[in-house]
């Protein structure tokens, strides 16, 4: 018997199979898939139960024919190797796939007006249904506002204030959390390694650091400049150890974990023990942070939750609710402190 004589492979269930099992029309199944508000809850639940029983997965091409949508989300993201944007992109991609959407990504090689327009033009030419802007630089957001985009979009950044298009992690609150942890341990002179200029996260974390210091009646230290990289954290550590004004500093809040890694290197090289001589707190909770030497106290961001909220908010703007998961689209995702071995009370 040849391979062609064997039994045919099982056919994947389609929208009409779901309709038959649920006892509704295929048009009703389409309405459920696209979050139509006029459906009764009982009908929607019956259709969803049929989908689950049949292991039905909506075909994107079929949905596009029904809805005149591409079921694709465009994501504009800053090119780089920072953990935060990369983790946010992964979370958005996972949440989009759960909602039956694909993701088309355009990377920004440079943050200039021409590059931003070119990347947006490419996404729009692909017929995406909506945009997520994962490029948290001041210049990117200013250019997007200038272009007056009519397509539904969501930005992921930490500027102050709220609007229908913005979602963020509470960067300022997380920075204050890190700084207060050091203050509560008894530190009074706490330095801050800041991120690069032009990044909204940099500005938000500086605000949080300064607010926590002033609320405790302490003077913020002069900022140490960084660029998100471990090398820049190392240079900041060298600058801290060499500066006369830094004598008496017993703790450092680093604006991300990569810079904290370089800072730990510089402190160790300079003969400072962590946390006995100097406490260090990072931000992001990268997977390697628990394995730094010593393990790094840091601020954790819930990137999967951010991705879910981004997609839920964008689908709401598009006019399509997620059929299987409502998703909390509140504008800000909270942060939490993860205490580890890099912080302790200051030396007596």
């Amino acid at each position: 018997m040849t391979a062609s004589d064997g039994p045919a492979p099982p056919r994947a269930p389609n929208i009409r199979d779901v309709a038959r099992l649920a006892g509704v029309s295929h048009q009703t199944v389409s309405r459920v898939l696209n979050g139509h508000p006029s459906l009764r809850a009982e009908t929607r639940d019956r259709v969803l139960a049929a989908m689950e029983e049949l292991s039905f997965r909506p075909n994107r091409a079929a949905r596009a024919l029904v809805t005149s949508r591409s079921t694709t989300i465009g994501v504009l993201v800053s090119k780089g190797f920072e953990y935060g944007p990369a983790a946010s992109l992964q979370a958005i991609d996972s949440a989009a796939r759960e909602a039956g959407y694909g993701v088309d990504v355009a990377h920004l090689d440079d943050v200039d007006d021409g590059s931003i327009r070119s990347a947006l033009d490419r996404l729009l030419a692909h017929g995406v249904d909506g945009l997520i802007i994962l490029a948290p630089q001041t210049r990117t957001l200013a250019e997007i506002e200038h272009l007056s985009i009519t397509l539904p979009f969501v930005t992921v950044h930490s500027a102050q204030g709220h609007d229908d298009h913005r979602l963020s992690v509470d960067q300022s609150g997380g920075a204050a959390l890190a700084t207060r942890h050091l203050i509560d341990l008894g530190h009074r002179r706490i330095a801050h390694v800041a991120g690069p200029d032009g990044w909204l996260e940099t500005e938000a974390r500086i605000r949080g650091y300064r607010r926590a210091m002033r609320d405790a009646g302490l003077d913020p230290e002069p900022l140490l400049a960084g660029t998100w990289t471990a090398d820049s954290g190392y240079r900041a550590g060298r600058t801290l150890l060499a500066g006369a004004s830094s004598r008496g500093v017993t703790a450092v809040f680093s604006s991300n974990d990569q810079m904290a890694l370089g800072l730990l290197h510089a402190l160790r090289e300079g003969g400072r023990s962590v946390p006995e001589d100097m406490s260090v707190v990072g931000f992001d909770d990268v997977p390697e942070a628990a394995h730094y030497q010593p393990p790094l106290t840091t601020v954790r961001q819930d990137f999967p939750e951010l991705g879910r909220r981004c997609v839920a908010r964008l689908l709401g703007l598009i006019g399509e609710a997620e059929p299987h998961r409502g998703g909390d689209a509140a504008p800000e995702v909270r942060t939490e402190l993860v205490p580890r071995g890099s912080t302790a009370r200051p030396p007596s």
Side-chain angles (χ1 to χ4, degrees):
M1 183 174 69
T2 66
S4 60
D5 296 327
R11 177 179 61 83
N14 60 36
I15 194 170
R16 294 184 183 277
D17 296 324
V18 174
R20 191 177 304 111
L21 180 60
V24 299
S25 68
H26 71 273
Q27 291 92 341
T28 297
V29 177
S30 294
R31 292 189 187 99
V32 172
L33 285 172
N34 295 290
H36 201 283
S38 68
L39 286 169
R40 291 187 303 168
E42 179 186 351
T43 302
R44 180 180 292 105
D45 290 345
R46 194 161 72 246
V47 171
L48 292 176
M51 290 180 184
E52 186 69 25
E53 183 176 338
L54 294 172
S55 298
F56 172 75
R57 297 294 178 266
N59 180 278
R60 287 175 56 205
R63 289 181 67 188
L65 289 174
V66 172
T67 64
S68 299
R69 296 181 180 137
S70 67
T71 60
T72 302
I73 292 171
V75 182
L76 179 66
V77 61
S78 297
K79 188 173 183 179
F81 301 98
E82 294 78 26
Y83 176 73
S88 296
L89 178 58
Q90 182 178 2
I92 288 166
D93 181 66
S94 296
R97 282 189 282 106
E98 287 181 15
Y101 273 69
V103 170
D104 190 355
V105 180
H107 290 276
L108 278 177
D109 294 324
D110 296 298
V111 186
D112 59 69
D113 296 349
S115 296
I116 295 166
R117 284 194 296 270
S118 176
L120 286 172
D121 286 345
R122 187 179 74 76
L123 290 173
L124 296 175
H126 288 182
V128 297
D129 294 326
L131 295 167
I132 295 177
I133 312 299
L134 194 59
Q137 292 94 349
T138 307
R139 190 165 184 177
T140 305
L141 299 179
E143 178 64 12
I144 288 165
E145 184 176 345
H146 172 72
L147 291 173
S148 300
I149 296 173
T150 57
L151 202 67
F153 72 93
V154 170
T155 62
V156 182
H157 63 89
S158 54
Q160 293 174 300
H162 298 287
D163 60 62
D164 288 341
H165 296 287
R166 185 178 74 82
L167 279 161
S168 69
V169 175
D170 185 8
Q171 309 285 347
S172 180
L177 198 64
T179 309
R180 282 197 298 268
H181 172 67
L182 295 169
I183 293 169
D184 291 345
L185 287 171
H187 296 276
R188 292 297 174 263
R189 293 196 59 191
I190 302 167
H192 177 46
V193 181
D197 291 340
W199 283 70
L200 294 164
E201 277 82 356
T202 296
E203 297 167 9
R205 294 173 197 178
I206 290 172
R207 284 197 305 271
Y209 159 72
R210 287 175 171 166
R211 183 177 77 244
M213 292 290 283
R214 288 169 178 151
D215 286 351
L218 304 173
D219 292 327
E221 298 290 327
L223 298 176
L224 296 162
T227 61
W228 300 134
T229 65
D231 282 347
S232 71
Y234 174 79
R235 291 191 296 270
R238 293 289 298 269
T239 299
L240 175 69
L241 293 175
S245 64
S246 69
R247 292 176 190 141
V249 170
T250 59
V252 184
F253 163 46
S254 172
S255 196
N256 79 343
D257 292 346
Q258 283 93 342
M259 293 191 298
L261 176 61
L263 175 66
L264 291 172
H265 178 192
L267 292 173
R268 184 168 59 250
E269 188 175 82
R272 301 290 186 92
S273 178
V274 177
E276 291 80 9
D277 301 323
M278 188 83 71
S279 287
V280 175
V281 180
F283 203 108
D284 283 339
D285 193 24
V286 301
E288 298 82 8
H291 306 288
Y292 285 7
Q293 192 54 251
L296 184 67
T297 296
T298 186
V299 174
R300 176 178 295 156
Q301 306 188 59
D302 191 343
F303 290 110
E305 179 64 14
L306 178 64
R308 285 192 291 270
R309 293 191 192 187
C310 271
V311 173
R313 174 66 63 87
L314 184 60
L315 293 184
L317 293 173
I318 291 171
E320 178 178 343
E322 289 187 57
H324 300 294
R325 181 189 299 241
D328 179 2
E332 203 159 55
V333 178
R334 297 296 178 184
T335 52
E336 63 174 313
L337 184 79
V338 184
R340 295 194 181 104
S342 66
T343 51
R345 296 191 63 82
S348 54

